[in-house]
Amino acid sequence: MVKKQSQRLISKSRDIRRENLLSFGLLLVIIIVSNIISSYLFTRIDLTSEKRYTLAPATKELLRSVDDYVFFRVYLEGDFPAGFKKLRRETKEMLDEFRAYNKLIGYEFVNPLATGNAREIDETIKTLTDKGLRPTELQVRATDGAQQKIIFPGALVMYRDKELPLDLLDQQLNTPPEMVINNSVQNLEFKLADIIRKLSQLQKPALAFIEGHGELNEAEVHDLTQSLLPNYRVDRITIDGRIYALTRRSEPDASGNVRILPNYEAIIIAKPTQAFSEKDKFIIDQYIMYGGKVLWLVDPVLASMDSLQMNESTVGVDLDLKLDDMLYKYGVRLNRNLVLDLNSASIPLRTGQVGGQAQIEFFRWPYFPLLNQASNHPIVRNINSIKADFVSSIDTTMDETIRKTPLLKTSDYSRISLTPVLISLAMLRENPDPRMYNRPGQIAAYLLEGSFTSLYANRIPPEIADSREIGFKEESKPTAMIVVADGDIARNQFHVPRGYPLPLGFDQYTRRTYGNKDFMLNAISYLADDTKLISIRSREIKMRLLDTNKANAMRLRLQVINIALPVLLVITFGLLMAWRRKKRYQKPFASK
Amino acid sequence: MKKNRLALYLTIGLALTALVLVLTRSGSSTVDYKDADFAVLDTASVTRIFIADLDTNQVLLERTARGWTLNKDYKASQWKVDELLNTMLKLRVRGPVSQSSHNNVISRMAGIALKVEVYQKKPLINLFDKIKLFPREVRTKTYYVGDNPRDNIGTFMLKEGARTAYIMYMTGFKGFVMSRYSAFEDDWRDHTVFSHKLNDIRSVELIFNEEPWQSFRIERTDGLNFKIIRLADDKVMPEYDTLRLLNYLTSFGDLRFEAVLNNTMPRQKIDSVLNSPFLHRLTLVDMQGDTTRMTTFNKKKFAEHLDIEEKLVPMDLDRAYALVNRERDFVLIQYFVFDKVLRPALYFEPGAPDFSNVY
């Protein structure tokens, strides 16, 4: 009887064990299958503090307006280092996010160099570079040592019969690779949305460089113009007192009213050196009143390195462009001074001659301050330092109807020299005294937004003010302008000795690339584009990198916590459970 | 068990969902490959390719044990077929045809597109590409090939029954792929006239119509021994230059014509040429007894050409017409290619001058 009972108990115990095993097995399968399914289903809750996975309203609006297929052929498929895998994953997720708003957005990730013989691979590389994609060379660890690998971290984006290249990886000098990847990820939404905007816009916005007052010539803004041309129509115009130079008049309607519209989304006044006539000022003023935007790049002080080529010193003097009253009316005053900054770009100087060879050394030149962002505005967010040449400071007026956002400022080690300024290379012979640099953060660029009052309000005779053809307007539509107290930030250098124009922001002597081009493109984009996509650039995605020193110091503790502790916890839990079960079931069985 | 039943149902449900997702979605693409699956990744399994246009032109390329055949009648050009298969292998999606131009593209395709059918040998049962059972021929793809987008990169293609046309391009190739598809039989013809190795040749006979005394026949006596018989008097040449003979016979390894003229030249003109006296008649008999014959005819020159003595040369000195392939095909040949097998009998005589620049 006891034996029978014992057998029954053993059999029951086996059943329970089998059932538990089955439960465990099923649970395991459920977990695995759920993971497989989750990798295919696109859904997420954005719990990040910076809302990195939530699209900006401007992007959503743009996506809703897309009316035809936009197809991204992304060349980020293959065996990459972790950073590029992250860029790939983030790109895919961002495109999936885009697709959630518009199914016409499509993509395919391809490895362009996966198949084919050497000739075909060469042809593919040539085709992709011809189309404007930049290859990146990687060192990849293989079983037989390090290998060089070329990848194209970019995409070709097609919309109707247009195709544009898109670089997904930012090019940033002197920046750690992880930071470059992170910055690239940070800019993904802007980049993807911007390329869609560029492709789908039916008409390019028009821009004009103003000429006729000694502004930078075509060659001096060559790189900027070339960078603008894919997205804008760029003209160069001389106002020359013509009333129709910047605005156009519609045919009179039934009641005889004439509509006046700006000819250009924005105009650029780049480093004028001659005074503006009242007529030209009036035409620019009225262009602004009718909603036109202006990028002022104005030097209030005449100073140039050219004068220092032959002499050791020169003098910076006031440059009277007759624009002071105009800019003051709009809300800013360009000060007649030069800002010196210890955080500055270097210039090459000949310090001697050894064996017939000139000895060249680089010196920080305080008159070339490196400007940094003065606010969190998207125009200047996360851009490299901007190299300025003889920059002045800007003050603002008390006019509260105009919103004034500082964009660029000098460093905390700045000082001001009032005109006339003696500029002498002799100052490089001595170490600068930091105590003299006591005027920190001088603002060198402002964004002005709002409804501006005309410089000519209450100042012109009634025959002009009442003329229908002229259509004088005292108060502007809501518009914007950017004032920079340095004209040279838009000027590219020329190769010495060949003379061809170099990329804007590239200093051929120090071989550094500054953020001048990014600033100019962002500023123009902000002024000329309707979509305000640039606001996306202001988002910051924090990079949570390990503190390598701290990690190394705490290596053992971290290893123990991460590896041994979970195992110990599981074992402890198991022992506790076993002890509890033993305590619970042993007694009744023993009593029988 | 009751407790586990729910878990079991859940597992089955999840497994089915996962299976559907795995089978229907590609992780790195949003392209609907039901509509864009033009590429043939296993070209070795292709058995037949059918291409047709709207003008009743059609070609059927079939893989046989002896190579590819064309319309069950001719040998297909191997490199052309290889090129087509290579194109099919490397076809990739450049993007869907835009909605704004889709109707136009489809309308144009209705007028000019080529229909392509691909047949492959596929196993009835295929387990993870490891176990393949019961192979049989199935039509795997049917699609239409249209013209090219404005930038000439890629070609419009539409799968049968699909709603969206795609621009397909070929990796490693900058250009359009439409030209790789053709429904003209002549485009797929193998241009080989002679493809015989020395050991395969039993006899060669060359008749010169205008200079019959230069006609000869080479016959294999045994092994690598040959005799040359002058056809003018039917006598065996007592001595010949062995090196030149071997050189001559090995020249039959790969001789091809330039173009088929059957369908491109007016019939009257072909008849006129065929009724004129021929230039050469070259007959090769192989060791199996099969005969290959080529008859050549003079080709008039389009432009007037004067020789060194400023006399008018009425004939084309670079090309000639020829009748090949059991006298079914009227083709264009180049003397540059065929000169080496159109030598006169004199060429084989010891110490005779080299005639390579004469004939």
XYZ file of all heavy atoms in Angstrom, chain A residues 300-378:
625
model
N 32.107 98.452 -39.999
C 32.061 99.888 -39.720
C 33.447 100.532 -39.645
O 33.566 101.748 -39.592
C 31.350 99.951 -38.362
C 31.571 98.631 -37.741
C 31.829 97.642 -38.813
N 34.471 99.680 -39.636
C 35.848 100.182 -39.548
C 36.647 99.650 -40.735
O 36.560 98.467 -41.065
C 36.510 99.735 -38.216
C 37.966 100.170 -38.160
C 35.742 100.291 -37.031
N 37.390 100.565 -41.343
C 38.211 100.163 -42.483
C 39.573 99.694 -41.973
O 40.363 100.503 -41.461
C 38.364 101.346 -43.450
C 39.215 101.080 -44.693
C 38.569 100.049 -45.597
C 39.454 102.368 -45.452
N 39.798 98.421 -42.081
C 41.097 97.871 -41.670
C 41.339 96.635 -42.505
O 40.400 95.881 -42.782
C 41.070 97.509 -40.195
N 42.573 96.457 -42.922
C 42.849 95.321 -43.793
C 44.252 94.799 -43.555
O 45.172 95.559 -43.231
C 42.689 95.768 -45.252
O 43.279 94.844 -46.098
N 44.382 93.492 -43.758
C 45.712 92.894 -43.620
C 46.604 93.294 -44.786
O 47.828 93.170 -44.690
C 45.605 91.368 -43.561
C 45.071 90.807 -42.269
S 46.025 91.283 -40.844
C 47.458 90.231 -40.985
N 46.000 93.749 -45.874
C 46.802 94.147 -47.039
C 47.815 95.230 -46.653
O 48.944 95.234 -47.139
C 45.898 94.683 -48.157
C 45.002 93.582 -48.706
O 45.299 92.405 -48.414
O 44.031 93.899 -49.405
N 47.387 96.142 -45.775
C 48.267 97.244 -45.375
C 49.439 96.734 -44.551
O 50.453 97.413 -44.428
C 47.468 98.251 -44.546
O 46.265 98.564 -45.190
N 49.280 95.561 -43.975
C 50.357 95.022 -43.137
C 51.322 94.128 -43.913
O 52.228 93.546 -43.334
C 49.750 94.232 -41.966
C 48.951 95.072 -40.964
C 48.228 94.186 -39.973
C 49.878 96.025 -40.216
N 51.075 93.988 -45.221
C 51.990 93.170 -46.029
C 53.362 93.843 -46.127
O 54.397 93.188 -46.086
C 51.421 92.968 -47.444
C 50.096 92.238 -47.507
C 50.248 90.764 -47.164
O 51.274 90.161 -47.402
N 49.203 90.188 -46.600
N 53.342 95.168 -46.267
C 54.592 95.915 -46.471
C 55.048 96.645 -45.205
O 56.234 96.860 -45.008
C 54.411 96.947 -47.606
C 53.967 96.331 -48.928
S 55.087 95.040 -49.512
C 56.498 96.011 -49.949
N 54.065 97.055 -44.396
C 54.417 97.831 -43.196
C 54.077 97.026 -41.948
O 53.233 96.133 -41.984
C 53.619 99.135 -43.169
C 53.821 99.917 -44.448
O 54.953 100.164 -44.861
N 52.729 100.260 -45.106
N 54.713 97.424 -40.870
C 54.465 96.694 -39.638
C 53.175 97.138 -38.968
O 52.600 96.419 -38.164
C 55.639 96.872 -38.667
C 55.597 95.862 -37.556
C 56.767 95.987 -36.613
O 56.744 96.878 -35.744
O 57.692 95.191 -36.758
N 52.714 98.328 -39.321
C 51.485 98.791 -38.678
C 50.593 99.538 -39.663
O 51.038 99.972 -40.733
C 51.827 99.696 -37.496
O 52.528 100.828 -37.964
N 49.337 99.642 -39.282
C 48.374 100.391 -40.071
C 47.365 100.983 -39.089
O 47.419 100.703 -37.895
C 47.692 99.489 -41.119
O 46.793 100.281 -41.884
C 46.906 98.378 -40.458
N 46.447 101.735 -39.640
C 45.462 102.361 -38.762
C 44.059 101.985 -39.233
O 43.764 102.066 -40.431
C 45.614 103.898 -38.764
C 44.542 104.545 -37.876
C 46.992 104.293 -38.305
N 43.244 101.554 -38.310
C 41.845 101.255 -38.619
C 41.025 102.522 -38.399
O 41.064 103.101 -37.312
N 40.352 102.951 -39.454
C 39.585 104.205 -39.358
C 38.107 103.951 -39.640
O 37.733 102.918 -40.206
C 40.112 105.253 -40.370
C 41.495 105.709 -39.994
C 40.084 104.697 -41.789
N 37.289 104.923 -39.267
C 35.845 104.812 -39.506
C 35.564 104.659 -40.997
O 36.191 105.316 -41.817
C 35.135 106.086 -39.026
C 35.109 106.154 -37.516
O 35.627 105.215 -36.894
O 34.572 107.143 -36.985
N 34.593 103.868 -41.298
C 34.164 103.717 -42.692
C 32.723 104.228 -42.751
O 31.811 103.592 -42.216
C 34.229 102.233 -43.079
C 33.891 101.882 -44.518
C 34.855 102.561 -45.478
C 33.984 100.373 -44.719
N 32.562 105.372 -43.360
C 31.232 105.979 -43.360
C 30.449 105.498 -44.570
O 30.602 106.007 -45.683
C 31.363 107.503 -43.376
C 30.004 108.151 -43.155
O 29.063 107.416 -42.795
O 29.888 109.369 -43.358
N 29.621 104.531 -44.347
C 28.830 103.953 -45.443
C 27.448 104.591 -45.533
O 26.646 104.205 -46.367
C 28.665 102.440 -45.223
C 29.967 101.637 -45.216
C 29.694 100.225 -44.725
C 30.572 101.589 -46.606
N 27.170 105.522 -44.652
C 25.868 106.197 -44.580
C 24.746 105.214 -44.255
O 23.610 105.391 -44.678
C 25.538 106.922 -45.906
C 26.623 107.818 -46.436
C 26.590 109.151 -45.745
C 27.615 110.103 -46.377
N 28.075 111.105 -45.423
N 25.107 104.155 -43.572
C 24.081 103.157 -43.210
C 23.705 103.228 -41.731
O 22.767 102.557 -41.293
C 24.577 101.737 -43.529
C 24.694 101.347 -44.994
C 25.339 99.985 -45.120
C 23.324 101.355 -45.664
N 24.455 104.052 -40.976
C 24.257 104.073 -39.525
C 22.815 104.392 -39.136
O 22.209 103.712 -38.302
C 25.194 105.094 -38.869
C 26.638 104.664 -38.986
O 26.853 103.547 -39.502
O 27.530 105.420 -38.578
N 22.273 105.453 -39.778
C 20.912 105.858 -39.415
C 19.901 104.763 -39.731
O 18.965 104.502 -38.978
C 20.543 107.173 -40.121
C 20.767 107.098 -41.623
O 21.377 106.113 -42.086
O 20.311 108.022 -42.347
N 20.135 104.103 -40.822
C 19.209 103.057 -41.266
C 19.202 101.874 -40.286
O 18.148 101.452 -39.802
C 19.669 102.584 -42.643
C 18.638 101.916 -43.463
S 19.292 101.721 -45.123
C 17.931 100.896 -45.860
N 20.424 101.418 -39.978
C 20.516 100.273 -39.073
C 20.032 100.634 -37.675
O 19.416 99.828 -36.982
C 21.961 99.738 -39.038
C 22.447 99.105 -40.344
C 23.929 98.782 -40.272
C 21.659 97.835 -40.653
N 20.322 101.888 -37.288
C 19.868 102.340 -35.962
C 18.344 102.316 -35.891
O 17.751 101.886 -34.903
C 20.400 103.746 -35.695
C 20.192 104.178 -34.265
C 21.073 103.768 -33.267
C 19.101 104.952 -33.905
C 20.874 104.143 -31.947
C 18.886 105.332 -32.598
C 19.784 104.918 -31.618
O 19.577 105.273 -30.313
N 17.730 102.749 -36.987
C 16.262 102.753 -37.035
C 15.711 101.330 -36.917
O 14.644 101.095 -36.358
C 15.834 103.387 -38.362
C 14.371 103.674 -38.473
C 14.004 104.930 -37.706
C 12.520 105.246 -37.836
N 12.145 106.404 -37.023
N 16.456 100.389 -37.478
C 15.982 98.991 -37.443
C 16.314 98.302 -36.119
O 15.852 97.200 -35.872
C 16.599 98.178 -38.597
C 16.241 98.691 -39.969
C 17.112 98.544 -41.036
C 15.028 99.328 -40.214
C 16.803 99.005 -42.300
C 14.710 99.806 -41.478
C 15.605 99.643 -42.500
O 15.277 100.116 -43.741
N 17.174 98.930 -35.301
C 17.364 98.367 -33.965
C 18.775 98.066 -33.535
O 18.976 97.559 -32.435
N 19.775 98.353 -34.367
C 21.151 98.058 -33.949
C 22.077 99.230 -34.271
O 21.773 100.066 -35.130
C 21.742 96.794 -34.638
C 21.073 95.539 -34.143
C 21.675 96.895 -36.145
N 23.180 99.243 -33.565
C 24.209 100.235 -33.875
C 25.548 99.502 -34.007
O 25.944 98.755 -33.108
C 24.298 101.269 -32.764
C 25.245 102.426 -33.138
C 25.389 103.415 -32.022
N 26.047 102.817 -30.874
C 25.884 103.236 -29.626
N 25.066 104.231 -29.359
N 26.526 102.656 -28.620
N 26.203 99.718 -35.156
C 27.532 99.141 -35.344
C 28.536 100.091 -34.725
O 28.625 101.262 -35.127
C 27.839 98.952 -36.829
C 26.857 98.099 -37.638
C 27.357 97.914 -39.056
C 26.690 96.728 -36.999
N 29.255 99.610 -33.735
C 30.172 100.495 -33.017
C 31.450 100.719 -33.810
O 31.951 99.821 -34.492
C 30.505 99.893 -31.649
C 29.278 99.837 -30.779
O 28.484 100.786 -30.745
N 29.089 98.729 -30.075
N 31.965 101.941 -33.650
C 33.209 102.287 -34.352
C 34.388 101.785 -33.526
O 35.064 102.548 -32.838
C 33.319 103.801 -34.508
C 32.106 104.448 -35.120
C 32.142 104.264 -36.611
N 30.881 104.709 -37.202
C 30.669 104.751 -38.488
N 31.605 104.356 -39.319
N 29.526 105.149 -38.958
N 34.567 100.542 -33.518
C 35.666 99.963 -32.748
C 36.103 98.648 -33.380
O 35.467 98.166 -34.324
C 35.237 99.737 -31.288
C 34.062 98.771 -31.187
O 33.865 97.927 -32.058
N 33.271 98.892 -30.130
N 37.164 98.100 -32.878
C 37.592 96.757 -33.278
C 37.702 95.917 -32.016
O 38.169 96.380 -30.986
C 38.947 96.804 -33.977
C 38.953 97.359 -35.406
C 40.372 97.343 -35.957
C 38.042 96.554 -36.328
N 37.220 94.676 -32.138
C 37.267 93.778 -30.986
C 38.505 92.900 -31.116
O 38.746 92.304 -32.170
C 35.995 92.899 -30.920
C 36.022 92.026 -29.673
C 34.757 93.755 -30.942
N 39.276 92.865 -30.047
C 40.454 91.981 -30.010
C 40.123 90.819 -29.070
O 39.482 91.012 -28.031
C 41.679 92.728 -29.470
C 42.338 93.731 -30.413
C 41.608 95.052 -30.385
C 43.808 93.913 -30.040
N 40.574 89.655 -29.471
C 40.192 88.462 -28.714
C 41.399 87.533 -28.604
O 42.110 87.309 -29.593
C 39.042 87.760 -29.477
C 38.373 86.704 -28.626
O 38.980 86.253 -27.645
O 37.238 86.321 -28.968
N 41.610 87.014 -27.419
C 42.724 86.060 -27.275
C 42.412 84.726 -27.945
O 43.304 83.982 -28.328
C 43.034 85.831 -25.785
C 43.693 87.001 -25.067
C 44.007 86.621 -23.637
C 44.957 87.452 -25.774
N 41.128 84.428 -28.054
C 40.723 83.217 -28.787
C 40.562 83.613 -30.256
O 39.490 84.008 -30.703
C 39.403 82.700 -28.212
C 38.923 81.468 -28.939
O 39.734 80.670 -29.411
N 37.611 81.315 -29.062
N 41.660 83.505 -30.963
C 41.640 84.039 -32.326
C 42.330 83.083 -33.287
O 42.985 82.123 -32.873
C 42.355 85.383 -32.335
O 43.630 85.230 -31.760
N 42.177 83.382 -34.569
C 42.827 82.575 -35.601
C 44.289 82.998 -35.707
O 44.667 84.082 -35.243
C 42.118 82.786 -36.925
N 45.070 82.109 -36.313
C 46.511 82.395 -36.416
C 46.841 82.953 -37.790
O 46.155 82.674 -38.777
C 47.310 81.113 -36.197
O 47.021 80.600 -34.920
N 47.922 83.719 -37.823
C 48.430 84.201 -39.113
C 49.891 83.771 -39.227
O 50.602 83.668 -38.223
C 48.305 85.737 -39.255
C 48.970 86.456 -38.082
C 46.851 86.159 -39.398
C 49.165 87.942 -38.308
N 50.334 83.498 -40.452
C 51.734 83.111 -40.631
C 52.617 84.369 -40.743
O 52.246 85.314 -41.438
C 51.706 82.332 -41.948
C 50.549 82.889 -42.698
C 49.576 83.445 -41.713
N 53.726 84.360 -40.059
C 54.647 85.495 -40.158
C 56.058 84.983 -40.365
O 56.449 83.945 -39.824
C 54.602 86.330 -38.876
C 53.407 87.260 -38.683
C 53.568 88.024 -37.378
C 53.278 88.248 -39.837
N 56.776 85.745 -41.159
C 58.176 85.374 -41.395
C 58.989 85.867 -40.215
O 59.002 87.060 -39.908
C 58.648 86.029 -42.683
C 59.853 85.357 -43.263
C 59.981 85.747 -44.693
N 61.203 86.538 -44.842
C 61.737 86.799 -46.015
N 61.128 86.392 -47.111
N 62.835 87.493 -46.103
N 59.674 84.921 -39.551
C 60.421 85.311 -38.353
C 61.919 85.331 -38.587
O 62.681 85.729 -37.708
C 60.119 84.343 -37.196
O 60.331 83.012 -37.661
C 58.701 84.482 -36.706
N 62.344 84.877 -39.745
C 63.771 84.877 -40.007
C 64.073 84.113 -41.272
O 63.149 83.726 -42.018
N 65.345 83.864 -41.497
C 65.761 83.147 -42.693
C 66.888 82.190 -42.325
O 67.886 82.606 -41.734
C 66.242 84.158 -43.742
C 66.344 83.543 -45.111
C 65.908 84.510 -46.197
O 65.226 85.490 -45.923
N 66.288 84.225 -47.422
N 66.670 80.900 -42.623
C 67.703 79.899 -42.305
C 68.046 79.163 -43.588
O 67.175 78.561 -44.213
C 67.203 78.904 -41.233
C 68.258 77.827 -40.977
C 66.878 79.631 -39.940
N 69.317 79.237 -43.974
C 69.787 78.529 -45.174
C 69.011 78.921 -46.421
O 68.677 78.072 -47.242
N 68.717 80.179 -46.551
C 67.988 80.654 -47.734
C 66.506 80.393 -47.677
O 65.772 80.749 -48.600
N 66.043 79.722 -46.651
C 64.617 79.409 -46.501
C 63.989 80.325 -45.468
O 64.541 80.502 -44.383
C 64.443 77.957 -46.031
C 64.758 76.902 -47.076
C 63.620 76.739 -48.064
O 62.470 76.759 -47.676
N 63.945 76.602 -49.341
N 62.843 80.871 -45.820
C 62.156 81.746 -44.874
C 61.596 80.908 -43.731
O 61.043 79.831 -43.955
C 61.032 82.484 -45.578
N 61.770 81.395 -42.522
C 61.216 80.714 -41.353
C 59.828 81.302 -41.088
O 59.699 82.496 -40.838
C 62.095 80.968 -40.116
C 63.403 80.209 -40.132
C 63.179 78.731 -39.896
O 63.173 77.965 -40.840
N 62.978 78.327 -38.657
N 58.827 80.452 -41.176
C 57.455 80.929 -40.973
C 56.929 80.377 -39.645
O 57.054 79.186 -39.374
C 56.525 80.460 -42.120
C 57.060 80.895 -43.486
C 55.100 80.942 -41.904
C 56.932 82.374 -43.784
N 56.371 81.244 -38.866
C 55.736 80.802 -37.626
C 54.320 81.342 -37.560
O 54.012 82.371 -38.166
C 56.534 81.307 -36.413
C 57.759 80.466 -36.123
C 58.442 80.914 -34.839
O 57.729 81.106 -33.838
O 59.674 81.084 -34.875
N 53.507 80.624 -36.821
C 52.110 81.055 -36.711
C 51.885 81.756 -35.368
O 52.342 81.278 -34.332
C 51.170 79.845 -36.826
C 51.078 79.338 -38.236
C 51.938 78.360 -38.699
C 50.135 79.856 -39.116
C 51.878 77.908 -40.000
C 50.064 79.412 -40.420
C 50.936 78.441 -40.861
N 51.195 82.862 -35.434
C 50.877 83.636 -34.223
C 49.375 83.874 -34.154
O 48.757 84.164 -35.191
C 51.583 85.000 -34.265
C 53.078 84.903 -34.223
C 53.813 84.794 -35.398
C 53.740 84.898 -33.006
C 55.193 84.693 -35.362
C 55.125 84.811 -32.968
C 55.860 84.698 -34.149
N 48.845 83.781 -32.957
C 47.426 84.130 -32.789
C 47.278 85.636 -32.978
O 47.964 86.416 -32.317
C 46.951 83.723 -31.394
C 46.732 82.225 -31.285
C 45.928 81.887 -30.055
N 45.689 80.462 -29.993
C 44.688 79.854 -30.612
N 43.842 80.563 -31.324
N 44.532 78.561 -30.510
N 46.386 86.031 -33.846
C 46.227 87.433 -34.205
C 44.894 87.914 -33.612
O 43.826 87.539 -34.097
C 46.245 87.545 -35.731
C 46.115 88.905 -36.319
C 45.223 89.287 -37.264
C 46.915 90.061 -36.071
N 45.400 90.583 -37.615
C 46.445 91.105 -36.885
C 48.000 90.332 -35.218
C 46.980 92.380 -36.885
C 48.537 91.601 -35.229
C 48.043 92.606 -36.048
N 44.944 88.701 -32.551
C 43.713 89.039 -31.810
C 42.664 89.767 -32.650
O 41.502 89.821 -32.257
C 44.227 89.950 -30.683
C 45.668 89.652 -30.569
C 46.142 89.283 -31.927
N 43.101 90.319 -33.784
C 42.127 91.022 -34.630
C 41.285 90.053 -35.486
O 40.413 90.489 -36.216
C 42.836 92.018 -35.544
C 43.390 93.203 -34.784
C 44.735 93.261 -34.438
C 42.550 94.240 -34.395
C 45.241 94.342 -33.731
C 43.049 95.328 -33.680
C 44.389 95.375 -33.351
O 44.878 96.444 -32.639
N 41.657 88.754 -35.415
C 40.868 87.731 -36.134
C 40.146 86.858 -35.100
O 40.472 85.681 -34.922
C 41.784 86.832 -36.978
C 42.303 87.458 -38.239
C 41.958 88.755 -38.601
C 43.141 86.743 -39.090
C 42.452 89.329 -39.768
C 43.626 87.304 -40.254
C 43.293 88.604 -40.590
N 39.178 87.394 -34.388
C 38.526 86.590 -33.344
C 37.789 85.374 -33.910
O 37.312 85.408 -35.043
C 37.512 87.568 -32.734
C 37.855 88.913 -33.249
C 38.560 88.713 -34.540
N 37.744 84.338 -33.102
C 36.923 83.170 -33.478
C 35.574 83.348 -32.779
O 35.494 83.325 -31.556
C 37.594 81.869 -33.045
C 38.911 81.562 -33.761
C 39.476 80.231 -33.276
C 38.709 81.503 -35.277
N 34.562 83.557 -33.572
C 33.242 83.842 -33.009
C 32.501 82.545 -32.713
O 32.590 81.582 -33.482
C 32.423 84.688 -33.997
C 33.082 85.982 -34.480
C 32.201 86.674 -35.508
C 33.337 86.916 -33.297
N 31.788 82.560 -31.626
C 31.006 81.377 -31.253
C 29.555 81.764 -31.040
O 29.217 82.947 -30.999
C 31.573 80.742 -29.993
C 32.905 80.084 -30.279
O 32.987 79.198 -31.119
N 33.954 80.555 -29.642
N 28.730 80.739 -30.878
C 27.301 81.013 -30.772
C 27.000 81.833 -29.517
O 27.500 81.534 -28.438
C 26.501 79.709 -30.785
C 26.809 78.781 -29.637
C 26.043 77.477 -29.754
O 26.387 76.638 -30.573
N 25.014 77.321 -28.940
N 26.149 82.841 -29.717
C 25.806 83.700 -28.596
C 24.461 83.325 -28.016
O 24.044 83.862 -27.001
C 25.781 85.148 -29.064
N 23.767 82.429 -28.697
C 22.463 81.982 -28.194
C 22.216 80.576 -28.725
O 23.045 80.022 -29.453
C 21.353 82.917 -28.699
O 21.286 82.822 -30.105
N 21.062 80.054 -28.379
C 20.735 78.705 -28.820
C 19.963 78.714 -30.140
O 19.337 77.729 -30.499
C 19.870 78.052 -27.742
C 20.249 76.613 -27.567
O 21.337 76.218 -27.997
N 19.377 75.840 -26.962
N 20.036 79.820 -30.837
C 19.246 79.937 -32.062
C 19.714 78.915 -33.103
O 20.914 78.637 -33.205
C 19.372 81.364 -32.618
C 18.328 81.665 -33.632
N 18.462 81.339 -34.959
C 17.093 82.213 -33.504
C 17.374 81.707 -35.607
N 16.521 82.240 -34.749
N 18.765 78.329 -33.855
C 19.147 77.292 -34.828
C 20.175 77.737 -35.858
O 20.905 76.902 -36.400
C 17.824 76.936 -35.510
C 16.827 77.926 -35.049
C 17.310 78.480 -33.767
